[in-house]
Amino acid sequence: MPLSSLISSLPKAELHLHIEGSLEPQLMWDLAKKHAIRLPYASVAQIEAAYQFADLQSFLDVYYAGASVLLDEDDFFKLMWSYLCRCREQNIVHAEIMFDPQAHTGRGISYQTFMPGFIKAIARAEDEWGMSVKLILSFLRHLSEEEAFTTLAQAKPYYRFIEAVGLDSSEKGHPPAKFKNVFARARQLGFKVVAHAGEEGPSDYIWQAIHLLGVDRIDHGVRCLEDPALVSLLRERQIPLTVCPLSNLKLKVIKDMGQHTLFTLLEQDLLVTVNSDDPTYFGGYLNKNFNVLHEALNMDAQQLRKLVSNSFKASFMEDAQKQHWIDKVNAYF
Ligand code: HPA
Ligand code: ZN
């Protein structure tokens, strides 16, 4: 079987996906029309053409502007539903999905609007094809810790639908240390904990995420290679890294895909996974991320097998469920 066919047919988990970053240009266009919102684009093609970024911040500016078309419960349902349908097409059987409450509450849209939309779409996918989904509430790190506390408190009616808390948005100048107290509170409440670290920011932010936030997983983390002691710690503790190749390329963390260090990380026995981050902005869903690794870095079948098994191993599923999927993956080889 050609590797691209194997990539599409294998059951996979996706662990690093921002739901707001899966907003398709066509849906953005339709929702703007529905709500009579003026977009700075004259066509769907112009929206797509605008997705050229110099760095993380230039992307985030476009990403938050795009999210402004999401106003009512049905908009959030459609956003989630569209991504879950993509999962079905791509054989993503389990997804751990981040959402940015503050990107909405900051515009006067409450949890009571977006959570029912998300929850209904997830329930339907679970029901219709047995997809499994967990939600990760992510704090915006360019805002204050006090605002993160408020965001966590506002989520209270929905705690049973949320698996973990995370940390995203502008990394440089906003170290994990800034959110030490709110992460301690989230852990006390029983949430799992993840954080973006070492994407654009220094490897020291990965140390902080581990020691000050007590993370179960690091999102990105590619800059760990700058610090051998950190690589040893990540290996010993098998702290997963949710790596996003197309994202790293689009945000100029790397110059070309041939320079991506994902396989260096894998060779060092780190628990590396492949993910799409913000697929509509970065040019591809999960299978495309695997395909570019094959094309640019000659990923072979054994490396694919390892990465896909890792996606289940690094997830927040129950152990028996992880093993069920890892056995299915192994059956392909
Ligand atoms: N990095 C940081 N924050 C984000 C990202 C990302 O890639 N996507 C959405 N928010
Ligand atoms: Zn991300």
Side-chain angles (χ1 to χ4, degrees), residues 17 19 80 83-84 95-99 133-136:
L17 178 286
I19 197 63
M80 182 61 79
Y83 170 66
L84 298 176
E96 303 191 350
I97 302 176
M98 290 181 240
F99 65 107
V133 177
K134 295 184 186 293
L135 287 174
I136 303 175

Side-chain angles (χ1 to χ4, degrees), residues 17-247:
L17 178 286
H18 302 264
I19 197 63
E20 294 86 355
S22 73
L23 177 62
E24 286 285 348
Q26 184 65 54
L27 183 56
M28 190 192 294
W29 184 259
D30 295 345
L31 294 180
K33 205 162 157 196
K34 168 183 165 186
H35 296 299
I37 293 169
R38 282 173 74 107
L39 289 174
Y41 314 106
S43 64
V44 174
Q46 269 196 19
I47 302 180
E48 282 162 2
Y51 293 171
Q52 303 297 333
F53 312 113
D55 54 15
L56 175 57
Q57 191 58 53
S58 62
F59 154 69
L60 290 168
D61 295 342
V62 174
Y63 165 91
Y64 294 124
S68 70
V69 301
L70 300 161
L71 293 181
D72 63 31
E73 181 187 314
D74 190 60
D75 302 344
F76 289 97
F77 173 87
K78 285 206 171 77
L79 175 68
M80 182 61 79
W81 181 246
S82 308
Y83 170 66
L84 298 176
C85 291
R86 290 284 178 164
C87 288
R88 188 181 198 180
E89 285 168 19
Q90 302 234 332
N91 282 318
I92 298 169
V93 296
H94 175 76
E96 303 191 350
I97 302 176
M98 290 181 240
F99 65 107
D100 286 334
Q102 291 157 294
H104 313 303
T105 54
R107 305 179 285 118
I109 313 292
S110 78
Y111 273 88
Q112 281 64 31
T113 299
F114 54 80
M115 287 306 282
F118 291 158
I119 291 165
K120 283 173 193 166
I122 292 167
R124 187 167 157 194
E126 286 171 342
D127 197 45
E128 282 191 21
W129 64 88
M131 166 116 201
S132 83
V133 177
K134 295 184 186 293
L135 287 174
I136 303 175
L137 182 172
S138 294
F139 302 119
L140 300 186
R141 70 202 301 160
H142 66 275
L143 301 177
S144 68
E145 185 179 51
E146 196 185 333
E147 287 164 293
F149 266 111
T150 305
T151 301
L152 183 61
Q154 288 168 338
K156 194 166 178 195
Y158 302 100
Y159 282 174
R160 69 193 174 91
F161 298 104
I162 298 168
E163 179 77 12
V165 302
L167 187 65
D168 63 9
S169 195
S170 324
E171 189 179 9
K172 285 184 197 157
H174 302 285
K178 183 177 159 187
F179 296 92
K180 190 169 77 185
N181 300 307
V182 73
F183 272 70
R185 174 82 188 121
R187 277 190 281 116
Q188 238 173 31
L189 288 168
F191 293 110
K192 296 269 199 311
V193 166
V194 302
H196 283 54
E199 176 187 14
E200 266 193 354
S203 54
D204 177 52
Y205 285 14
I206 304 174
W207 283 108
Q208 289 187 27
I210 296 167
H211 290 122
L212 303 180
L213 306 186
V215 291
D216 298 285
R217 264 191 335 235
I218 295 283
D219 293 313
H220 294 295
V222 286
R223 288 191 60 185
C224 70
L225 284 170
E226 293 165 16
D227 182 345
L230 177 58
V231 172
S232 299
L233 180 76
L234 292 167
R235 177 174 44 244
E236 278 155 28
R237 295 210 195 157
Q238 287 291 289
I239 298 171
L241 302 181
T242 62
V243 176
C244 308
L246 283 171
S247 165

